[in-house]
């Protein structure tokens, strides 16, 4: 390489470094612990690790993901509640924060913390066996009403899937039975083993069972189509007023330092403008849905009201 080329290369590298530095927002602490109330490998953990990666890219802070699955999320919530308020401890979870509190399994409502952001939606579907005598939610509701007590919905009691089951049962005027069938893998086994008739499950997992001819999807549980399977109908498109995607939400501790909140917002804006972050979420079958602190607080209020309407 001649001297002129070397100089040009050095200038290009310096310009790239300057551009990256210009995009790195100043954060008040050098390291952040991101608490995840779930085991490694699941959708929440994947979301947290992507958030951590891109938060690091767009700030001067390093982020360590800490999995604390014990107690159905209560242990992680307790850690956050007693943690520092300077922005060095954050927490990612979804509507299970509402359900565990409403069902008396956790003492922490979302208002115990500082809402900071939502990052992505992760859609579920209502799925049945391929030989079921109904292919849409209205057909299922009609069948259940005509055969009260015969349709069994497999849910995980106390979790978000119970709310999805309760919402479906409410549409059928209480003609279905809701039973505890465990986590998603257990619910799939129960459905294929004819122990239950309907389950909610993730779009990502449902695709393989539909393709193999073992299941059919009645609807995506959202008012908006899922971009990964736009051909699947939504509940709303069938005239059913149920929309309840898992929305991954970032929280800080209660009464978080306002300066740290403002610094977080600056980092989030950089992440939102980064197309690679959106692409990474989409590769994980998650729909980018970024809200700032004010929008997130309003969204959580509405999300809780939906949960409470079904529990009541």
């Amino acid at each position: 390489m001649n001297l002129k080329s070397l100089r040009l290369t050095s200038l290009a590298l310096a310009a790239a470094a300057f551009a990256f530095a210009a995009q790195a927002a100043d954060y008040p602490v050098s390291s952040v612990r991101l608490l995840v109330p779930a085991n490694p490998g699941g959708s929440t953990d994947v979301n947290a690790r992507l958030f951590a990666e891109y938060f690091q890219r767009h700030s001067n802070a390093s982020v360590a993901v800490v999995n604390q699955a014990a107690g159905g999320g209560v242990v992680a919530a307790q850690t956050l509640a007693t943690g520092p308020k300077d922005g060095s401890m954050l927490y990612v979870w979804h509507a299970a924060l509402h359900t565990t509190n409403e069902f008396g399994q956790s003492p922490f409502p979302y208002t115990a913390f500082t809402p900071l952001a939502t990052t992505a939606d992760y859609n579920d579907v209502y799925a049945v066996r391929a030989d079921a005598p109904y292919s849409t939610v209205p057909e299922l509701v009609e069948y259940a009403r005509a055969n009260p007590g015969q349709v069994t919905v497999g849910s995980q009691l106390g979790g978000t899937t119970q709310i999805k089951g309760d919402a479906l049962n409410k549409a059928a005027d209480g003609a279905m039975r809701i039973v505890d069938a465990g986590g998603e893998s257990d619910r799939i086994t129960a459905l294929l083993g004819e122990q239950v008739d309907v389950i909610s499950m993730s779009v990502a997992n449902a695709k393989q069972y539909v393709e193999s001819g073992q299941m059919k999807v009645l609807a995506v549980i959202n008012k908006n189509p899922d971009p990964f399977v736009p051909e699947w109908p939504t509940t709303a498109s069938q005239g059913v007023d149920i929309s309840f995607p898992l929305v991954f939400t970032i929280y800080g501790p209660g009464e978080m330092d306002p300066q740290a909140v403002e610094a977080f917002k600056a980092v989030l804006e950089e992440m939102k403008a980064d197309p690679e972050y959106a692409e990474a979420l989409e590769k994980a079958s998650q729909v980018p849905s970024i809200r700032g602190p004010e929008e997130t607080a309003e969204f959580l209020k509405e999300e809780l009201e939906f949960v409470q309407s079904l529990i009541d």
Side-chain angles (χ1 to χ4, degrees):
M1 182 181 290
N2 59 36
L3 184 60
K4 182 178 180 181
S5 297
L6 183 61
R7 285 174 177 170
L8 288 173
T9 301
S10 298
L11 287 171
L13 290 173
F18 177 80
F20 179 81
Q23 293 177 2
D26 188 27
Y27 199 65
V29 295
S30 60
S31 62
V32 175
R33 295 175 67 203
L34 180 59
L35 305 174
V36 182
N39 289 317
S43 58
T44 306
D45 179 70
V46 170
N47 181 271
R49 292 181 188 279
L50 289 174
F51 180 85
E53 176 184 345
Y54 284 87
F55 195 92
Q56 289 181 152
R57 288 193 188 188
H58 293 285
S59 74
N60 56 345
S62 62
V63 184
V65 174
V66 181
N67 296 88
Q68 291 187 333
V74 177
V75 172
Q78 177 68 44
T79 303
L80 180 68
T82 58
K85 303 180 184 298
D86 58 0
S88 62
M89 186 174 290
L90 304 174
Y91 170 90
V92 58
W93 202 211
H94 46 61
L97 184 62
H98 303 316
T99 60
T100 53
N101 179 248
E102 291 294 317
F103 287 124
Q105 299 170 350
S106 167
F108 299 105
Y110 86 88
T111 51
F113 307 121
T114 301
L116 294 174
T118 65
T119 58
D121 294 355
Y122 192 65
N123 283 318
D124 273 2
V125 300
Y126 288 125
V128 298
R129 289 183 298 279
D131 61 355
Y134 27 75
S135 298
T136 67
V137 174
E139 288 177 1
L140 168 62
V141 167
E142 183 179 352
Y143 181 91
R145 287 172 177 165
N147 300 273
Q150 297 301 306
V151 175
T152 303
V153 182
S155 298
Q156 186 169 26
L157 298 187
T160 58
T161 58
Q162 180 177 347
I163 299 300
K164 294 179 174 76
D166 288 343
L168 189 60
N169 193 30
K170 184 177 180 180
D173 300 325
M176 302 179 186
R177 293 187 299 119
I178 311 296
V179 300
D180 191 354
E184 183 156 311
S185 61
D186 295 325
R187 295 196 303 278
I188 291 170
T189 300
L191 179 65
L192 296 178
E194 301 186 10
Q195 298 167 8
V196 299
D197 301 301
V198 189
I199 62 171
S200 59
M201 63 185 297
S202 67
V203 164
N205 280 334
K207 287 171 66 177
Q208 59 181 307
Y209 289 98
V210 170
E211 290 168 0
S212 69
Q214 294 174 282
M215 293 184 189
K216 56 185 174 182
V217 164
L218 304 186
V220 175
I221 311 173
N222 199 329
K223 62 184 178 182
N224 300 314
D226 189 288
F228 307 110
V229 279
E231 70 276 14
W232 288 358
T234 65
T235 43
S237 72
Q238 298 178 28
V240 180
D241 188 20
I242 304 173
S243 183
F244 195 42
L246 286 184
V247 180
F248 297 111
T249 304
I250 309 294
Y251 296 89
E255 299 180 354
M256 183 172 166
D257 184 341
Q259 291 185 339
V261 173
E262 289 302 312
F264 179 94
K265 287 171 64 175
V267 178
L268 186 70
E269 285 301 312
E270 297 291 348
M271 293 172 65
K272 187 175 182 178
D274 185 348
E276 291 186 10
Y277 180 44
E279 290 169 7
L281 289 169
E282 289 167 356
K283 285 181 181 178
S285 299
Q286 299 184 8
V287 183
S289 180
I290 298 176
R291 298 176 178 87
E294 294 81 9
E295 284 183 291
T296 298
E298 183 59 32
F299 164 77
L300 290 171
K301 179 176 177 290
E302 295 173 357
E303 186 179 56
L304 176 60
E305 288 172 352
F306 176 75
V307 169
Q308 288 175 329
S309 72
L310 292 166
I311 293 175
D312 291 343

